Amino acid sequence: MKEIGIIFFCLVITSCSDSEKKNLSVDLAPATILYSPSLKEDTQEIANIILKEEIVKRTGITLEKESSWENRTVLALVLSKDSELFGSAVPKRAETNPEYQKEGYRLVHETKDGMDILWIIGADKRGLLYGIGKLLRTATMGNGTIELPNTVDISESPEYAIRGHQFGYRNTANSWDSWTVDQFDQHFREQVLFGANSFENIPFQDATSSVHFKVHPQKMEVELSKICDKYDADYWVWTPAPRNLTLKNAHLKGLATQEAFYQRCPRLDGVFVPGGDPGENHPSVLIPYLEDLSVLLKKYHPNAGIWVSLQGFNEEKIAYFFKYLENNSPDWLKGMVYGPSSPPIKLERELLPKKYMHRFYPDITHTVRCDYPVEKWDQAFALTLGREPCNPLPMQYAKIFNKHAMYTDGFISYSDGSHDDVNKVVWNQLGWNSKRNVEEVMFEYGRFFFGSKVAEESAEAILALEENWVGPLLSNEQVPKTLKLWKKLEVENPLLADNWRWQQLVMRAYYDAYTQDRLTYEKKLETDAYSILAEAETLGADMAMHQALELIQKADKEFVSQELKQKVFEYADALFKSVGAQTSVGKYQASGAERGAILDFIDYPLNNRWWLEDEFKKLNETKSEKDKLVKLEFIRTYEYPGEGSFYDNISSADAQHVTSETQDAIDYLWENNGLSRKRLSTQLFQFTPTLEYDTLDPNANYLIRVTGYGEALLRANGERLKPTKYEKGFEEFKEFPLSKDLIKDGKLKITFDQPDEEHLNWRKQSRVTDVWVLRQ
């Protein structure tokens, strides 16, 4: 674990004596607040509300608004264009500095005539709010105290123009459908204080679609617009076109629905219409619809813009769309959105005329079956935590941001719940400065949400949760260390027990540790069961199956680490009460098993006992003892083909020879609502994996065996091999003889050509799950 990089002035303060601290710090506890008369009344009002409410909840101190310099400690809020505030000169610098740029601010302390003045200088209303956010994120606060270094001088303006997140008030979100207006207000405020300027809703929800709705969705659509206006944040909506615009009246019905929404919405800045996902409209019918939509939008919101993505477009559709832009240069289009299954982001930006903006739509909410899967995630987590667990991944998402965001004007992320809260803050801050130290962001996150005293340790603990997910879980020594750290924090900070952010992070630490303990236990049972199968010739096939099954099924009767599991359930209940997190379909009415229902999978088998039960049942119908013994030996040696031979579970975190990584995490099979009884290795796959070997015997022939689904167009060192066996179903086999003439240097690279399956849904496309290289 790296040490947390702490902001320099914090290090200075903690290294000084109490008397030195006093001299180096400005104490804001007795401060009054002055506002520039040039600030509009609503700006003063919201700034005052934020400062008062956020400071009092952390310190118990209420800062009062004044209109004179009578007090000796003052918090002064002004615009960068102001030259003076009630007769006192505003600190001025060259206009190339950040506080003069759009949304920029400066936070600076000044000692003047025996007074301590902390200036928050904003370029505009947003800049002022961002300056307040920086103050709240960097001040040391506690009961009756609020301090900053007296040398503080921080200024910045955002690197990216668009910085926001989707907050769809809908049933499929794993928590937001249970939120009140006040909860959204607070949450939007917090996002703004960390640098966001945009929020995207998904309107037109059926009022009966969620049992959790506390507010009619059509009313909430308007309330979210009002909240955005309150904080001067852009209000966006994600509104797909009718799925088939060629149907009679579909175009007009779509426009009528949209117009009614525009009319009742007090603020609207962006309308994002995905070209696909959902829908498969050709741009020849989608473009006229968008053009007509823009006319209605301008009627009610003159400054709002239409945005579109090319998600799911094939080459012909892409070419058609860009040819239209080239020939018509329409002014009704504001920009393009890059989302899942869009053309490559760099290519899209190159093809898009410069007059149009380009927005990133990154998925920061999902772990599997998504654009950005957790890298080399252990299957035990994929089977249990699933697609929407609490997923703080600050380092991974910083890497994704800096790989892709450069081709855009910013982002509004795809999010489906409160579980990805850490990731939102990371993206907010990288939107301001793509080189921002992520560890410092985590420190500010901890200080703002959990308090100054716990900031450093909580930041370390959040980063530790990400390390829990790195590599094979069985050998991950970080997991128990992470739990120990969170247990310590849990005991030392009882006042944070009702904080939902705290609850979900602590719960993750317990869940990870429970899963690791269970994996260790269940894998050992499976290994011991295979040892019994090794004696099948002596015991007899039926007795060997009986004893092996009896042993491996202990996992369903004799449990481990139940105290960890109990803590997970306690925190899940607390989360449902605090933030409406729906961690179970049955218990908390989650909309579906993939939607954060981590309790429903907490005991999903982490060994192959379900598969063995089914295989043994089929074997019981076999009459021949010899055939039974052959099959049992195959089952026993499935992953252990013997010396000189090799086996790889394609997408397993501990695969030895797989060098490829999936581009979209459809490498974890999803069937039967997550309760597949297939062999665990069958549930992991890649479409066109690459495997490399460098210790083959150049004097030996080998047989390459492949299983998966559909086609397997295999090449060995670039040469397409002809199969001698070619079965296409799950857990059926393809076999390719490999001549020693192809591996004269003992090295082998296996690749797979992509079959022409663009016409198929990805669930039906060919994939590879297991690969053997068997010495003959």
Side-chain angles (χ1 to χ4, degrees):
M1 167 63 64
K2 295 180 181 178
E3 292 184 3
I4 304 302
I6 307 302
I7 298 173
F8 176 73
F9 62 68
C10 297
L11 292 175
V12 171
I13 290 175
T14 55
S15 67
C16 298
S17 68
D18 287 343
S19 60
E20 289 172 321
K21 285 182 189 180
K22 196 167 185 179
N23 291 332
L24 287 173
S25 301
V26 53
D27 180 10
L28 294 178
T32 53
I33 309 175
L34 297 184
Y35 293 94
S36 168
S38 66
L39 294 170
K40 293 181 180 178
E41 189 173 325
D42 68 318
T43 302
Q44 292 190 39
E45 181 182 2
I46 192 56
N48 206 49
I49 289 172
I50 293 173
L51 283 168
K52 279 193 171 184
E53 292 183 354
E54 299 301 328
I55 289 174
V56 76
K57 73 174 65 169
R58 291 167 174 80
T59 67
I61 300 167
T62 301
L63 300 186
E64 298 295 342
K65 178 180 177 181
E66 294 290 349
S67 57
S68 72
W69 293 97
E70 291 182 8
N71 199 7
R72 309 311 295 168
T73 306
V74 174
L75 182 56
L77 283 77
V78 298
L79 293 174
S80 55
K81 67 180 182 180
D82 293 328
S83 58
E84 55 87 25
L85 176 63
F86 300 128
S88 186
V90 174
K92 287 290 181 181
R93 303 189 300 176
E95 292 190 4
T96 53
N97 282 291
E99 65 267 29
Y100 296 94
Q101 312 310 311
K102 185 178 181 181
E103 300 187 350
Y105 70 86
R106 183 184 184 193
L107 181 67
V108 59
H109 172 253
E110 182 181 45
T111 302
K112 190 173 184 180
D113 300 328
M115 296 171 55
D116 278 315
I117 308 171
L118 183 67
W119 295 92
I120 301 180
I121 306 169
D124 43 38
K125 178 179 179 179
R126 286 182 177 179
L128 206 65
L129 296 183
Y130 297 136
I132 291 172
K134 190 64 174 179
L135 165 62
L136 295 172
R137 296 183 342 246
T138 56
T140 300
M141 289 189 263
N143 187 22
T145 64
I146 173 169
E147 295 181 343
L148 276 170
N150 61 14
T151 56
V152 66
D153 190 351
I154 304 168
S155 62
E156 57 180 345
S157 58
E159 185 175 340
Y160 288 88
I162 307 170
R163 307 174 307 280
H165 308 285
Q166 195 175 75
F167 288 83
Y169 187 66
R170 58 175 182 163
N171 186 38
T172 48
N174 58 41
S175 52
W176 290 327
D177 54 343
S178 70
W179 280 22
T180 64
V181 174
D182 286 344
Q183 282 178 298
F184 274 113
D185 187 298
Q186 178 64 30
H187 200 59
F188 282 21
R189 175 194 296 184
E190 290 162 349
Q191 295 297 319
V192 167
L193 295 177
F194 270 93
N197 68 2
S198 303
F199 301 99
E200 185 169 76
N201 185 30
I202 301 176
F204 314 129
Q205 302 300 314
D206 184 342
T208 64
S209 62
S210 173
V211 299
H212 301 290
F213 282 150
K214 295 182 176 66
V215 180
H216 193 288
Q218 272 70 69
K219 180 180 178 183
M220 185 63 87
E221 294 166 3
V222 175
E223 293 300 325
L224 294 180
S225 174
K226 291 177 182 177
I227 295 169
C228 285
D229 200 45
K230 177 179 178 180
Y231 297 111
D232 195 22
D234 287 348
Y235 185 45
W236 290 61
V237 287
W238 181 90
T239 56
R243 286 179 178 270
N244 188 350
L245 283 166
T246 64
L247 294 178
K248 185 178 180 180
N249 294 326
H251 184 116
L252 294 176
K253 285 181 180 178
L255 294 178
T257 301
Q258 295 271 347
E259 182 175 16
F261 170 68
Y262 300 162
Q263 192 170 8
R264 67 176 181 267
C265 201
R267 174 168 184 155
L268 188 58
D269 300 277
V271 173
F272 166 30
V273 181
D277 190 20
E280 296 183 357
N281 289 303
H282 191 275
S284 61
V285 294
L286 179 62
I287 288 170
Y289 173 77
L290 295 176
E291 187 170 6
D292 288 348
L293 201 63
S294 72
V295 174
L296 295 178
L297 180 61
K298 294 294 183 183
K299 177 180 176 181
Y300 300 100
H301 303 280
N303 296 320
I306 294 287
W307 297 68
V308 66
S309 68
L310 306 188
Q311 290 171 258
F313 275 31
N314 59 23
E315 287 186 15
E316 186 275 329
K317 288 182 178 180
I318 294 168
Y320 184 102
F321 186 85
F322 283 113
K323 188 68 174 176
Y324 167 81
L325 293 187
E326 180 184 341
N327 292 339
N328 297 276
S329 190
D331 292 329
W332 56 261
L333 182 67
K334 178 71 172 179
M336 184 172 290
V337 176
Y338 171 82
S341 72
S342 286
I345 192 168
K346 183 180 179 182
L347 174 64
E348 193 169 82
R349 177 66 268 185
E350 289 172 352
L351 294 174
L352 185 64
K354 297 298 183 185
K355 70 178 285 186
Y356 302 110
M357 297 184 74
H358 197 210
R359 190 200 110 185
F360 198 5
Y361 184 37
D363 184 345
I364 66 170
T365 202
H366 293 132
T367 52
V368 292
R369 296 178 291 280
C370 59
D371 248 11
Y372 306 112
V374 180
E375 296 175 353
K376 298 188 181 298
W377 210 30
D378 194 285
Q379 187 181 19
F381 287 136
L383 294 170
T384 55
L385 283 168
R387 196 170 184 235
E388 291 180 3
C390 173
N391 67 332
L393 294 165
M395 295 301 181
Q396 176 173 326
Y397 281 119
K399 184 166 67 174
I400 291 168
F401 182 98
N402 283 303
K403 180 179 180 181
H404 297 300
M406 68 180 74
Y407 302 111
T408 71
D409 296 292
F411 63 90
I412 296 178
S413 75
Y414 172 35
S415 175
D416 252 328
S418 51
H419 62 285
D420 56 18
D421 188 71
V422 167
N423 303 332
K424 290 187 180 79
V425 164
V426 170
W427 277 72
N428 290 344
Q429 284 294 287
L430 292 175
W432 274 77
N433 178 2
S434 59
K435 297 180 177 60
R436 182 81 203 274
N437 184 302
V438 173
E439 293 169 336
E440 286 184 4
V441 175
M442 290 298 92
F443 181 84
E444 288 190 9
Y445 184 93
R447 177 154 52 188
F448 184 82
F449 291 118
F450 306 140
S452 297
K453 289 183 179 179
V454 74
E456 185 170 352
E457 280 191 301
S458 65
E460 179 185 350
I462 292 169
L463 292 166
L465 286 173
E466 183 170 18
E467 291 190 22
N468 278 9
W469 285 2
V470 177
L473 178 57
L474 271 178
S475 58
N476 191 329
E477 297 178 356
Q478 180 61 46
V479 174
K481 295 176 184 177
T482 302
L483 179 61
K484 183 179 179 180
L485 178 53
W486 277 109
K487 276 186 170 181
K488 175 179 178 290
L489 290 169
E490 179 186 32
V491 170
E492 293 175 352
N493 298 278
L495 295 179
L496 290 170
D498 294 330
N499 182 312
W500 66 266
R501 290 178 170 90
W502 186 262
Q503 289 166 349
Q504 65 179 5
L505 293 166
V506 182
M507 180 179 70
R508 249 291 308 284
Y510 279 107
Y511 200 113
D512 289 0
Y514 176 63
T515 303
Q516 186 180 57
D517 288 356
R518 200 163 61 84
L519 179 65
T520 302
Y521 171 58
E522 294 189 11
K523 286 295 186 185
K524 176 66 163 55
L525 291 178
E526 184 170 3
T527 300
D528 292 347
Y530 291 149
S531 296
I532 293 173
L533 294 185
E535 304 298 322
E537 246 185 86
T538 303
L539 293 171
D542 290 346
M543 180 57 68
M545 285 191 287
H546 173 75
Q547 291 185 9
L549 206 55
E550 190 174 61
L551 178 62
I552 200 170
Q553 287 175 336
K554 281 186 177 181
D556 297 318
K557 302 167 187 174
E558 301 174 16
F559 307 112
V560 296
S561 304
Q562 291 301 285
E563 74 285 358
L564 301 181
K565 179 180 175 181
Q566 181 59 34
K567 292 291 285 188
V568 171
F569 274 77
E570 289 173 5
Y571 274 108
D573 196 59
L575 276 163
F576 182 69
K577 293 172 182 174
S578 64
V579 75
Q582 299 138 36
T583 52
S584 168
V585 174
K587 191 171 184 179
Y588 300 118
Q589 293 79 53
S591 64
E594 278 192 293
R595 297 296 180 174
I598 62 172
L599 298 188
D600 297 349
F601 299 94
I602 194 168
D603 286 321
Y604 185 94
L606 300 180
N607 59 26
N608 283 301
R609 63 183 181 273
W610 283 3
W611 178 74
L612 285 173
E613 289 170 3
D614 295 343
E615 291 298 303
F616 289 174
K617 186 176 181 180
K618 287 186 281 186
L619 264 183
N620 284 332
E621 299 173 2
T622 302
K623 303 298 183 183
S624 167
E625 177 74 3
K626 180 180 178 182
D627 290 346
K628 286 184 180 180
L629 291 174
V630 169
K631 179 65 174 178
L632 289 178
E633 181 64 7
F634 176 77
I635 289 172
R636 183 184 74 83
T637 61
Y638 192 98
E639 297 183 16
Y640 311 99
E643 188 174 349
S645 296
F646 307 92
Y647 164 79
D648 282 280
N649 177 355
I650 286 299
S651 288
S652 175
D654 58 0
Q656 297 296 306
H657 302 97
V658 179
T659 57
S660 55
E661 295 184 13
T662 55
Q663 293 301 307
D664 51 358
I666 355 183
D667 52 336
Y668 292 87
L669 183 69
W670 179 261
E671 64 175 14
N672 192 30
N673 274 330
L675 298 177
S676 173
R677 293 181 66 87
K678 285 186 171 65
R679 182 179 176 83
L680 296 185
S681 65
T682 304
Q683 299 182 48
L684 295 175
F685 62 89
Q686 291 186 30
F687 293 113
T688 55
T690 300
L691 300 93
E692 297 184 44
Y693 310 77
D694 56 12
T695 59
L696 272 62
D697 183 350
N699 298 311
N701 292 317
Y702 288 83
L703 180 74
I704 301 175
R705 179 185 292 150
V706 175
T707 189
Y709 177 83
E711 306 291 342
L713 308 180
L714 185 148
R715 290 183 184 272
N717 289 336
E719 183 171 320
R720 176 77 73 82
L721 298 188
K722 294 182 178 180
T724 54
K725 185 175 186 178
Y726 203 77
E727 300 170 333
K728 296 185 180 183
F730 278 114
E731 297 179 7
E732 294 181 342
F733 301 95
K734 302 172 182 70
E735 293 181 347
F736 303 83
L738 175 66
S739 169
K740 59 187 176 184
D741 294 336
L742 282 174
I743 51 168
K744 292 179 180 179
D745 58 357
K747 295 183 179 181
L748 170 65
K749 183 175 182 178
I750 295 175
T751 57
F752 293 82
D753 292 346
Q754 181 83 51
D756 182 13
E757 297 177 332
E758 188 177 311
H759 59 288
L760 296 177
N761 180 280
W762 65 263
R763 293 173 180 84
K764 299 294 184 183
Q765 290 176 352
S766 299
R767 74 282 310 270
V768 177
T769 63
D770 308 81
V771 173
W772 295 258
V773 177
L774 304 170
R775 181 171 175 152
Q776 300 300 288

